[in-house]
């Protein structure tokens, strides 16, 4: 398989598992408490008009992010449901006198309305998070340092620094919780599997573990690029402000542009990663992944390999059907 075709696969860590996206299907593998690995398989049925939008530079970044948030939320919900069910069974085993819930209540299933609801919630959560993360640093800088600089560039640089500090603090504190630590370990396992596959290695636990938990195409890299790109765009002479509310309004208005350009920067850094000098352009994103990924255990790598192999198997079957 060519290097270009290898690069189409992307992944996402979920609670106690990993989701991989192929050309035709998204697959999540989750390890249950009894060590059974189960799969959640969803064919990719993107609307034609969305596919057309994904071909337009800058626009495709925003569309792709929203689309990934919606689909990722469905897979995360599947993972969390199984995690919660295992926790409930474990609690019931410790407290046998407790009244167990009926089987129908234990398994909620995946109705169409639930899937749509989870997808919408995922998109809204992403948008709300980005709005808060965009507005809060601007407001803090304006309130605390409004008289420090006369230059708007200085204020924008300080705003970017505050944003990075808030981001790193948030990620560090989150990584201290056992559940998020395991999530970050699966994130690292996902990266290792993709790197091993792109290198042409046979996907065994020992082979995969040799590779770095950091990867150029990671969404964590995208986050840091939004900060850098935002500082540059906000510093353009045409975007000035006279009040804190005008400043926040401008940032929110420019958010789709910042996201779209950041996505293009991520694509460029990935394309240049094999060029000795230019590969350093992607290093800020890799540094952030030191927080958003952790070294995985062998059993977590095994789940990631199972998810990736199942995705490739179904992708091949669906390709043969459409051929």
């Amino acid at each position: 398989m060519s290097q270009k075709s290898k690069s189409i696969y992307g992944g996402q860590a979920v609670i106690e598992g990993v989701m991989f996206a192929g050309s035709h299907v998204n697959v999540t593998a989750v390890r249950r408490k009894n060590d059974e690995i189960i799969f959640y398989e969803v064919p990719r049925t993107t609307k034609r008009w969305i596919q057309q939008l994904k071909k337009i530079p800058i626009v495709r970044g925003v569309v792709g992010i929203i689309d990934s948030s919606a689909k990722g939320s469905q897979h995360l919900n599947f993972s969390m449901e199984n995690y919660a069910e295992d926790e409930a069974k474990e609690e019931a085993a410790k407290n046998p006198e407790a009244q167990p819930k009926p089987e129908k209540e234990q398994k909620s299933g995946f109705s169409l309305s639930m899937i749509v609801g989870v997808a919408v919630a995922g998109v809204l959560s992403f948008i709300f998070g980005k709005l808060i993360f965009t507005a809060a640093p601007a407001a803090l800088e304006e309130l605390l340092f409004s008289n420090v600089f006369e230059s708007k560039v200085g204020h924008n640089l300080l705003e970017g620094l505050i944003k990075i500090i808030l981001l790193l603090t948030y990620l560090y504190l989150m990584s201290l919780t056992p559940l998020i630590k395991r999530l970050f370990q699966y994130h690292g396992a996902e990266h290792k599997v993709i790197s091993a596959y792109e290198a042409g290695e046979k996907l065994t636990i020992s082979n995969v573990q040799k590779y770095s938990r950091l990867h150029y195409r990671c969404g964590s890299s995208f986050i840091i690029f939004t900060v850098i790109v935002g500082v540059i765009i906000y510093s353009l002479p045409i975007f000035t402000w006279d009040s804190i509310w005008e400043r926040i309004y401008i940032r929110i208005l420019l958010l789709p542009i910042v996201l779209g350009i950041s996505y293009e920067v991520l694509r460029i850094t990935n394309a240049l990663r094999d060029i000795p000098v230019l590969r350093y352009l992607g290093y800020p994103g890799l540094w952030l992944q030191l927080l958003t990924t952790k070294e995985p255990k062998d059993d977590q790598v095994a789940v990631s390999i199972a998810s990736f192999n199942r995705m490739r198997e179904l992708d091949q079957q669906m390709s043969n059907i459409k051929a």
Side-chain angles (χ1 to χ4, degrees), residues 35-149:
D35 283 337
E36 176 191 8
I37 297 178
I38 59 175
F39 298 98
Y40 177 47
E41 303 156 358
V42 182
R44 300 188 68 172
T45 55
T46 305
K47 301 289 185 180
R48 183 181 179 88
W49 63 272
I50 294 180
Q51 292 286 13
Q52 294 300 319
L53 289 176
K54 286 184 176 182
K55 297 178 182 179
I56 304 174
I58 299 180
V59 174
R60 62 189 172 193
V62 178
V63 175
I65 293 164
I66 294 176
D67 190 41
S68 296
S69 297
K71 292 176 179 177
S73 296
Q74 298 172 23
H75 289 261
L76 180 61
N77 188 74
F78 167 79
S79 176
M80 292 182 68
E81 278 206 344
N82 285 280
Y83 179 81
E85 184 179 331
D86 283 342
E87 290 293 310
K89 288 181 178 179
E90 191 173 89
E91 185 65 26
K94 294 179 181 178
N95 301 282
E97 296 180 0
Q99 184 69 25
K101 291 184 177 181
E103 186 70 18
K104 290 184 179 180
E105 292 185 23
Q106 290 182 17
K107 291 183 175 290
S108 62
F110 286 87
S111 65
L112 177 60
S113 59
M114 188 210 72
I115 290 175
V116 172
V118 170
V120 171
V123 172
L124 292 178
S125 297
F126 169 79
I127 293 174
F128 181 75
K130 287 303 298 180
L131 290 176
I132 294 296
F133 191 62
T134 298
L140 280 174
E141 199 284 330
E142 185 75 20
L143 292 171
L144 299 176
F145 306 101
S146 59
N147 298 320
V148 175
F149 303 105

Side-chain angles (χ1 to χ4, degrees), residues 19-22 24-28 40-44 71 75:
M19 185 271 281
F20 280 102
H24 306 293
V25 65
N26 296 337
V27 175
T28 291
Y40 177 47
E41 303 156 358
V42 182
R44 300 188 68 172
K71 292 176 179 177
H75 289 261

Side-chain angles (χ1 to χ4, degrees), residues 65-302:
I65 293 164
I66 294 176
D67 190 41
S68 296
S69 297
K71 292 176 179 177
S73 296
Q74 298 172 23
H75 289 261
L76 180 61
N77 188 74
F78 167 79
S79 176
M80 292 182 68
E81 278 206 344
N82 285 280
Y83 179 81
E85 184 179 331
D86 283 342
E87 290 293 310
K89 288 181 178 179
E90 191 173 89
E91 185 65 26
K94 294 179 181 178
N95 301 282
E97 296 180 0
Q99 184 69 25
K101 291 184 177 181
E103 186 70 18
K104 290 184 179 180
E105 292 185 23
Q106 290 182 17
K107 291 183 175 290
S108 62
F110 286 87
S111 65
L112 177 60
S113 59
M114 188 210 72
I115 290 175
V116 172
V118 170
V120 171
V123 172
L124 292 178
S125 297
F126 169 79
I127 293 174
F128 181 75
K130 287 303 298 180
L131 290 176
I132 294 296
F133 191 62
T134 298
L140 280 174
E141 199 284 330
E142 185 75 20
L143 292 171
L144 299 176
F145 306 101
S146 59
N147 298 320
V148 175
F149 303 105
E150 291 186 6
S151 168
K152 289 293 192 290
V153 175
H155 284 290
N156 289 331
L157 289 173
L158 191 53
E159 177 187 335
L161 178 61
I162 292 173
K163 187 176 292 187
I164 290 175
I165 292 173
L166 291 176
L167 173 65
L168 296 181
T169 301
Y170 172 76
L171 290 174
Y172 173 72
L173 293 176
M174 289 288 289
S175 69
L176 297 179
T177 64
L179 188 61
I180 299 301
K181 181 180 178 181
R182 287 188 63 79
L183 179 68
F184 287 173
Q185 286 177 308
Y186 276 109
H187 192 185
E190 169 235 317
H191 286 177
K192 284 173 176 275
V193 168
I194 293 177
S195 295
Y197 174 73
E198 290 177 335
E201 289 268 19
K202 184 178 179 180
L203 296 183
T204 64
I205 293 176
S206 58
N207 285 344
V208 169
Q209 285 284 34
K210 293 185 300 184
Y211 287 85
S212 171
R213 73 180 199 265
L214 313 180
H215 198 282
Y216 268 78
R217 287 199 310 277
C218 176
S220 301
S221 300
F222 172 78
I223 294 173
I224 202 69
F225 287 142
T226 61
V227 178
I228 298 172
V229 170
V231 169
I232 295 173
I233 292 179
Y234 302 152
S235 298
L236 295 176
I238 59 174
F239 301 122
T240 60
W241 68 88
D242 296 317
S243 69
I244 184 172
W245 299 113
E246 189 175 348
R247 182 176 183 177
I248 293 174
Y249 169 76
I250 291 173
R251 266 95 180 123
I252 294 176
L253 196 64
L254 291 174
L255 184 56
I257 297 176
V258 171
L259 294 176
I261 294 178
S262 299
Y263 179 81
E264 300 302 324
V265 172
L266 181 63
R267 287 170 58 95
I268 291 171
T269 57
N270 181 59
L272 300 177
R273 63 177 174 169
D274 294 325
I275 302 177
V277 177
L278 298 179
R279 71 191 313 256
Y280 293 106
L281 292 172
Y283 273 37
L286 295 177
W287 294 334
L288 184 62
Q289 289 176 47
L290 293 173
L291 280 177
T292 61
T293 65
K294 300 291 183 183
E295 283 295 331
K297 299 177 182 178
D298 286 352
D299 62 333
Q300 294 168 322
V301 170

